Amino acid sequence: MPLPFPGSSVELQPEPSLTRSLAHSVVDSAIVRRRLRFLSVQARSKGVKLGMQSIPIATACTIYHKFFCEIDLDAYDPYLVAMSSLYLAGKVEEQHLRTRDIINVSNRYFHPGSEPLELDSRFWALRDSIVQCELLMLRVLRFQVSFQHPHKYLLHYLISLKNWLNRYSWQRTPVSVTAWALLRDSYHGGLCLRFRAQHIAVAVIHLALQAYGVEVPAEAEAEKPWWQIYTMDTEIP
């Protein structure tokens, strides 16, 4: 009996990777990035529905992206990897999730309005797949599944910037809300693996300020850009 998720399989054996020509490598990489972005959005949506906090969701997305940096996207079922990422992130960040909740939320995501799965052989096969996939991911990632996220830096920088800016300008524009939204959206791609947490925090604030045309006081007369007060090695064109 087929499992209720697109492309899901109880088997965790990798498929033989296909040899791609150099002419198709750019197109293939673009397709892979789009697929990863779409699947990471799904993983994050499931985390929200499971009541996960921001840090565990960020950890789940980072685990997901890091795993597929090591493994071909076509080698393993990405939907199963997404569920296992949520399960593993809950353990890492001490917000434990039941596999049954993850399975039911995922099932409802793909089949809106459906009833929770019965505790039959299909359910237990999927549960075992999640656990086995978790062990596989730990081995592939060499048990390095603890990450430094930008959230604490962003909170500190926003509080500092709020005291720096004009109070009415800060209240009139949702710079803080926009910065947090940009940070959440950044986990749809692999930015969390390519840049330091401090740099991502500064970048989302810079983009939020630009979006609303808010200028930092005395920036034109300052010897260095405002963001280098927080991170000395950050360069923004």
Side-chain angles (χ1 to χ4, degrees):
M1 183 178 295
L3 293 172
F5 306 106
S8 59
S9 172
V10 179
E11 297 293 333
L12 287 177
Q13 298 298 325
E15 301 174 1
S17 59
L18 301 177
T19 303
R20 296 187 175 98
S21 65
L22 182 61
H24 293 92
S25 61
V26 175
V27 177
D28 288 345
S29 62
I31 293 174
V32 167
R33 286 196 300 271
R34 286 197 296 269
R35 288 175 63 187
L36 276 174
R37 190 176 298 113
F38 171 72
L39 292 166
S40 63
V41 170
Q42 292 182 338
R44 184 178 175 277
S45 299
K46 294 173 189 175
V48 172
K49 292 179 180 179
L50 286 165
M52 295 181 74
Q53 298 175 357
S54 297
I55 296 298
I57 292 177
T59 298
C61 292
T62 306
I63 290 173
Y64 184 87
H65 289 300
K66 189 175 181 181
F67 178 77
F68 280 116
C69 284
E70 302 287 341
I71 298 294
D72 187 355
L73 183 60
D74 294 325
Y76 295 95
D77 176 22
Y79 300 97
L80 179 60
V81 173
M83 289 189 287
S84 297
S85 298
L86 292 169
Y87 184 55
L88 178 56
K91 292 182 178 180
V92 172
E93 302 298 343
E94 298 185 356
Q95 188 183 355
H96 299 282
L97 301 172
R98 297 191 307 172
T99 51
R100 183 176 182 180
D101 293 336
I102 296 175
I103 291 172
N104 284 326
V105 166
S106 300
N107 181 58
R108 181 66 64 88
Y109 185 90
F110 292 114
H111 305 281
S114 62
E115 296 295 327
L117 295 179
E118 297 291 338
L119 298 181
D120 53 13
S121 59
R122 182 175 60 174
F123 172 87
W124 292 110
L126 184 55
R127 182 188 180 280
D128 290 342
S129 295
I130 292 175
V131 174
Q132 292 298 321
C133 186
E134 177 200 15
L135 297 176
L136 169 69
M137 295 171 70
L138 284 171
R139 292 196 298 271
V140 170
L141 300 179
R142 296 174 289 278
F143 292 86
Q144 298 176 6
V145 291
S146 181
F147 308 100
Q148 187 178 56
H149 295 294
H151 297 66
K152 62 180 180 181
Y153 297 103
L154 181 58
L155 178 61
H156 172 71
Y157 298 163
L158 285 173
I159 292 175
S160 175
L161 200 61
K162 177 182 177 181
N163 296 328
W164 193 354
L165 292 175
N166 180 281
R167 183 180 63 179
Y168 300 103
S169 176
W170 183 266
Q171 293 176 347
R172 190 169 56 250
T173 54
V175 172
S176 179
V177 174
T178 304
W180 283 110
L182 290 170
L183 178 59
R184 288 192 296 270
D185 290 348
S186 71
Y187 282 92
H188 296 167
L191 292 178
C192 52
L193 300 177
R194 295 168 52 197
F195 300 99
R196 294 172 57 189
Q198 301 95 314
H199 295 176
I200 295 176
V202 165
V204 296
I205 294 176
H206 179 72
L207 183 55
L209 291 173
Q210 284 194 324
Y212 293 102
V214 178
E215 296 184 359
V216 177
E219 183 177 6
E221 297 81 11
E223 296 181 359
K224 61 178 65 176
W226 64 266
W227 57 80
Q228 288 191 353
I229 296 176
Y230 303 121
T231 56
M232 295 294 295
D233 57 343
T234 303
E235 293 291 341
I236 299 179

